[in-house]
Amino acid sequence: MQELRHVTSINDLSVDEIEAIFSLAQKYLRDLRDPHIAHRIARSIADARGSILACLFYEPSTRTRLSFETAMLRLGGKSISSADPATSSAAKGESLADTVRVASNYADVLVIRHPRDGAAKLAATYANVPIVNGGDGAHEHPTQTLCDLFTLLQEGKNLNKMNIVIQGDLKGSRTIHSFVYALARFGANIMLMPAKGMELPSHVDWRLRNELKCYTVPRARYEKDNASVDALYVTSNKPHQLSLISDIDVKVKKGIDAMYVTRFQKERWTEKSQDYPTIDSRFLKDRKYSKTSLLHPLPRVNELDIALDSDRRAAYFRQAAYGVPIRMALISLILGLDSERSLQRYSGGFRAADHFVYDGHASGIRCANKNCIVHDSAEGKYASNRFHVIDGHDPRLRCFYCETDVETFTVANKKTKHYDSDATQLRTAIAKHERDLVLFANAADAEAAGYSPPKRRRKAANA
Ligand code: NCD
């Protein structure tokens, strides 16, 4: 049986696949659009006749659920939804894992939204049909990113080398986490403008720099023009310090192509927000914003002045409308409805699954993210203590579910009975003794389990 294709992260999709989704969405827009409103799909086809989409939503939603349902209806399929955990068996204490196993027998594709990071991945391990992540805690919201990128293209932007400012709650906004990975993969220059204390999580920053080869530009190089920008990430296929720097100077002078605004994610914080920035026409009056497309995943609260709605730069309602053709394209590719394009065969990009998965004994090592599904008292027992082993210069363990990294741990070897706290040894350990690998939270735990320090270190200690 062919492996099921789930979309729990934007990184589950290769660049080619994302482009295939865009080209199909474009085709739907061209063929089915409202004659009076270019971004609105107004007609239906019958391609998905006989197929059913189910939305299992454990958190509020307007756009994501309604546009998924609309997309399936426009494709000629049917949709069923469990939109409120208070009226489903979740209220009786049923786990996500059981619900997904049951719903897999009712529908052909399941869209999950859940307050816990990693919930979509957990669902994917139990489903017999494809799972699409409709937003899991603060982790990711990959289909929103597809809408965001598609909007930029529709607004005439070139993703490669575009200058984009991302503003607001960079920590709590799952839309931003999926978005920055994709922007980096498409080669954009990303300028971060976080609200106070709401910077990008450190593991997301680490992935941008280490896995997506982004370079941060020293503040001094851009702060004259962009005093409010906190960090500037540059993606370069052929990194060369000098050309990179001159490139930035040119790019910043060129102006800001897009600005992505988000609301304060109050449901993910215990504190209230203070001084949350507001974007209005005064902020955007600088010349460098004259051609800026304004994006927002919505809902907006107060961070984006409603007076901007009639501004030609405001693209956020079109962005929400593109949710329909984009999700039609995604469903079509997932269900294999389009004869030319399919997600059934994977063709490139990078996937978390490319990394070795460790699910052996990991004494004392737990995902560091308290909102991860593994820490949920009811759902956590359906998850195992699994990590992707990320090797390289600075090896780390990445939670299989929510993709938060554990940076310090001790690696031991069952055969040699030695441990090594120096994680750079991990790479060799993986290469040579994959099955003999055993992980501990620290050296003391390894010693308590009967492992001794590596020989070279003992020698050094005796000397
Ligand atoms: C976003 C979400 O749910 O993460 N909404 C959406 O799907 N468009 C953004 C948000 O809630 O702020």
Side-chain angles (χ1 to χ4, degrees), residues 121 125 203 211 351-370 372-375 383-391 395-411 426 430 434 437-441:
K121 190 74 176 193
T125 63
H203 65 277
E211 290 174 17
R351 280 189 297 178
D354 291 341
H355 298 297
F356 165 58
V357 177
Y358 180 86
D359 58 4
H361 179 78
S363 178
I365 305 180
R366 297 285 284 156
C367 175
N369 172 8
K370 291 283 163 275
C372 178
I373 192 94
V374 301
H375 297 301
S384 53
N385 205 26
R386 273 191 201 177
F387 297 92
H388 291 287
V389 179
I390 313 299
D391 61 6
R396 38 184 58 208
L397 301 176
R398 177 163 301 151
C399 174
F400 178 79
Y401 300 96
C402 77
E403 303 188 290
T404 302
D405 293 347
V406 174
E407 293 168 38
T408 52
F409 52 93
T410 293
V411 188
L426 182 58
I430 298 165
E434 218 167 83
L437 202 66
V438 56
L439 303 179
F440 294 93

Side-chain angles (χ1 to χ4, degrees), residues 63-64 113 141 144 174-175 263 265 267 297-299:
R63 271 151 295 277
T64 304
R113 170 168 286 196
H141 193 346
Q144 180 63 46
R174 55 194 174 200
T175 63
R263 73 181 168 96
Q265 304 284 306
E267 62 274 48
L298 303 178

Side-chain angles (χ1 to χ4, degrees), residues 32-46:
L32 308 172
R33 61 164 276 204
D34 185 318
H36 307 293
I37 308 173
H39 50 266
R40 181 175 188 277
I41 295 276
R43 291 192 296 120
S44 304
I45 50 176

